[in-house]
Amino acid sequence: MSGEDAPAQQQNAVDQKQETKPAEEPKNEPPKTESPPAAAAEAAATPAATTEKVPEEETFTYRALVLTGYGGYDKVKLQVKKGKPALKAGELLVRVKACGLNFADLMARQGLYDRLPSPPVTPGMECAGVVEAVGEEVTDRKVGDKVMVLNRFGLWQEVAVVPASHTFLIPEGMSFEEAAALPVNYITAYMMLFDFGNLRPNQSVLIHAAAGGVGIAATQLCKTVKDVTVFGTASASKHETISEGGVTHPIDYRTKDYVEEVRKISPKGLDIILDPLGGSDTHKAYNLLKPMGKLITYGAANMLAGQKKNLLAVAKNWYHQFSIHTLSLIQGNKSVCGFHLGYLDGEMELITQAMNTVLDLYKDGKIKPRIDSTWHLEQVGDAMRKMQERNNIGKVILTTEPMPEEEKKEEPKKEDKKEDKKKEDKKKDDKKKDDGKKEEKKDDKKKEEPKKEEKKEEEKKEEVKKEEK
């Protein structure tokens, strides 16, 4: 049963019960000599029919991803929740089709994102789906509407209750995957470039992680302004893609010093720098600004090193935390801004204005989310790994569509292969140990051989002495 059909079909079932009940009574009605037992049986059947709805509500289930504790990829588990969520005034029940994965979700898994409540909790800041039920006082949404949702957390599940004001109608022709890729990345990029950055023609912009979700969104938005030069950092394998997307000067941050590369092309520096890295990279960014330049910092990705929280990386990032005196800002004629969409959840008017502009740009064909890959809820660990290891180009999406049985069967095989590999490695280690012991025995034998020879020589000498006597 699809999300769109569920309420209508449930209502039809109730209507059918109401319609068939009077039709059945004449058939079952005996002659006037109806016996008391038959009447009692009918009376007993009536309350049973009316109580059928209660179990129906109780048996409502839906799958949800739950962060069970801080740590590695295995801390996000797929669970089945029971009971239909209740709606308050101003809320919607959305049947989720696709969810967006963001860097904040990776940090939240390690306990580095304070906008997510303590575990157990369902993560997820954005999704797309279909309105399945409407609460009181909601006038601008109806059952069947296709919407994208922006929320602090709680969207990585098959159904979600959200404020109607946190939803936006999906434009005609936009897929659920694209809709799930739009809110966080494009609102973030738009507000940084235009609200803080005041991007204008002929300016220059540095975009770190240019192949990521925010990076691609920012690049596309830069292209909506005439003659903007875009510098983008990404690994060499992604340069062709980001160049086609609008990056003027791609830089391989793994093999080159991006500061030197920027200075070669733009000796005076840059007008706008978007910094999601933090630590020492924020210092570099500030020094790369032109007079009247703007640094917009919006993350601390340098703190992420490995599956679990790396205390050394966190400490290093805080040690190199950027700070500056207002006098230096005045003398340098520079601006430093901080942006965090998670702390703007109380400013829905601002967010709605930005979102409406972004949607207009989409309708005009000027922007389009790039989907890197789509994963089932069961594969959330692999999805997070891909993003954390910087192997994605564009948005990583989770789909609530059930995983095909064939793929489920293949999953244990992968585990079996891992187990087999472990066993093989153990055998190899055991063999090495055995070989090592054999070598030691050989060495001991070699050491013992000269001693035996010496002993034989001594015995011969003794025999010769006895013969001489």
Side-chain angles (χ1 to χ4, degrees):
M1 181 187 293
S2 67
E4 298 92 324
D5 300 334
Q9 291 188 14
Q10 287 172 1
Q11 185 61 46
N12 290 342
V14 174
D15 294 342
Q16 285 173 7
K17 284 180 187 177
Q18 292 173 348
E19 289 170 7
T20 53
K21 189 178 174 184
E24 288 171 0
E25 283 177 0
K27 290 180 183 177
N28 296 331
E29 188 179 354
K32 291 179 181 179
T33 56
E34 180 182 352
S35 63
E42 186 178 348
T46 305
T50 57
T51 55
E52 282 180 10
K53 291 181 183 177
V54 178
E56 193 176 333
E57 290 295 320
E58 291 176 357
T59 55
F60 184 94
T61 62
Y62 58 99
R63 298 181 305 151
L65 288 171
V66 178
L67 178 66
T68 57
Y70 300 129
Y73 306 125
D74 60 336
K75 292 296 182 181
V76 182
K77 301 183 186 298
L78 185 59
Q79 298 180 359
V80 176
K81 293 186 177 182
K82 294 181 179 180
K84 193 168 187 177
L87 286 179
K88 296 177 184 175
E91 291 183 335
L92 304 175
L93 179 68
V94 176
R95 175 68 61 172
V96 179
K97 301 294 184 179
C99 316
L101 181 61
N102 292 288
F103 222 81
D105 298 315
L106 304 181
M107 299 189 77
R109 196 195 69 239
Q110 294 190 2
L112 297 171
Y113 183 70
D114 60 359
R115 297 302 285 161
L116 187 76
S118 301
V121 62
T122 293
M125 301 165 64
E126 61 188 342
C127 74
V130 180
V131 175
E132 198 164 89
V134 178
E136 294 179 4
E137 299 178 14
V138 177
T139 57
D140 56 348
R141 297 286 182 270
K142 64 182 184 301
V143 172
D145 280 347
K146 295 179 180 180
V147 293
M148 58 188 84
V149 185
L150 182 68
N151 212 39
R152 250 181 73 192
F153 63 93
L155 300 182
W156 285 1
Q157 51 190 7
E158 288 181 322
V159 294
V161 172
V162 296
S165 60
H166 288 217
T167 67
F168 309 91
L169 293 173
I170 297 176
E172 195 69 33
M174 181 184 282
S175 67
F176 286 119
E177 288 77 16
E178 286 179 330
L182 200 80
V184 171
N185 292 161
Y186 281 82
I187 291 174
T188 295
Y190 180 86
M191 295 186 82
M192 288 193 299
L193 286 171
F194 294 101
D195 291 335
F196 269 147
N198 191 27
L199 180 63
R200 301 191 303 278
N202 301 307
Q203 289 192 324
S204 54
V205 182
L206 171 60
I207 300 171
H208 283 293
V214 173
I216 286 176
T219 303
Q220 291 179 2
L221 290 168
C222 283
K223 285 182 68 182
T224 65
V225 180
K226 189 179 179 183
D227 296 329
V228 171
T229 302
V230 179
F231 293 81
T233 63
S235 55
S237 61
K238 301 175 182 177
H239 283 191
E240 185 179 350
T241 303
I242 64 174
S243 295
E244 290 172 356
V247 172
T248 321
H249 303 291
I251 302 169
D252 184 1
Y253 68 96
R254 293 181 178 179
T255 59
K256 293 180 180 178
D257 183 341
Y258 65 84
V259 174
E260 288 182 8
E261 295 302 309
V262 169
R263 289 286 185 197
K264 287 177 187 175
I265 300 163
S266 182
K268 286 186 177 181
L270 303 168
D271 294 296
I272 299 173
I273 298 175
L274 306 183
D275 168 39
L277 305 175
S280 59
D281 285 288
T282 309
H283 289 268
K284 293 177 183 178
Y286 183 78
N287 294 329
L288 263 178
L289 288 177
K290 284 180 181 179
M292 301 303 292
K294 303 172 190 72
L295 165 61
I296 302 153
T297 179
Y298 68 103
N302 286 334
M303 285 201 290
L304 271 188
Q307 276 197 57
K308 300 177 182 178
K309 180 160 66 176
N310 186 318
L311 294 176
L312 184 62
V314 174
K316 187 178 178 183
N317 192 77
W318 279 106
Y319 179 77
H320 291 290
Q321 190 71 20
F322 178 77
S323 62
I324 192 166
H325 196 280
T326 51
L327 187 61
S328 298
L329 290 173
I330 294 168
Q331 293 171 345
N333 287 292
K334 297 178 181 181
S335 172
V336 178
C337 310
F339 183 84
H340 195 306
L341 185 59
Y343 283 95
L344 279 179
D345 55 348
E347 303 292 336
M348 284 311 296
E349 285 186 19
L350 283 175
I351 290 174
T352 301
Q353 288 173 10
M355 191 61 166
N356 288 338
T357 306
V358 166
L359 290 175
D360 287 340
L361 290 171
Y362 175 86
K363 292 170 188 174
D364 292 340
K366 293 181 178 179
I367 63 168
K368 184 177 175 64
R370 180 190 172 95
I371 308 301
D372 172 84
S373 52
T374 301
W375 306 78
H376 294 282
L377 295 180
E378 293 91 336
Q379 301 170 308
V380 63
D382 293 328
M384 289 190 293
R385 181 182 290 105
K386 179 159 193 177
M387 189 172 184
Q388 189 163 327
E389 293 178 356
R390 316 304 203 267
N391 292 326
N392 60 301
I393 301 178
K395 191 74 171 182
V396 178
I397 294 291
L398 297 172
T399 176
T400 58
E401 196 175 296
M403 194 172 181
E405 289 300 321
E406 301 79 43
E407 291 185 36
K408 285 183 182 178
K409 289 175 184 176
E410 287 176 9
E411 291 297 315
K413 289 180 183 177
K414 289 180 184 176
E415 295 299 320
D416 292 342
K417 285 179 183 177
K418 286 180 183 177
E419 288 299 320
D420 292 341
K421 192 173 184 302
K422 284 180 183 177
K423 288 177 183 177
E424 285 177 15
D425 292 340
K426 192 173 184 302
K427 284 180 182 178
K428 286 178 183 177
D429 291 338
D430 292 341
K431 190 178 180 184
K432 283 180 183 177
K433 287 178 184 177
D434 292 339
D435 291 341
K437 288 178 182 178
K438 287 178 183 178
E439 289 297 324
E440 285 177 9
K441 286 179 182 178
K442 285 180 183 178
D443 291 339
D444 291 340
K445 284 181 182 179
K446 286 179 182 178
K447 289 176 184 177
E448 288 175 4
E449 282 176 3
K451 290 180 182 178
K452 288 179 181 178
E453 292 296 325
E454 287 175 11
K455 194 174 181 182
K456 285 180 182 178
E457 288 295 325
E458 287 176 4
E459 286 176 357
K460 283 181 183 179
K461 286 179 183 178
E462 288 294 327
E463 288 178 6
V464 170
K465 284 180 183 179
K466 285 179 183 178
E467 288 175 2
E468 287 177 353
K469 286 179 182 179

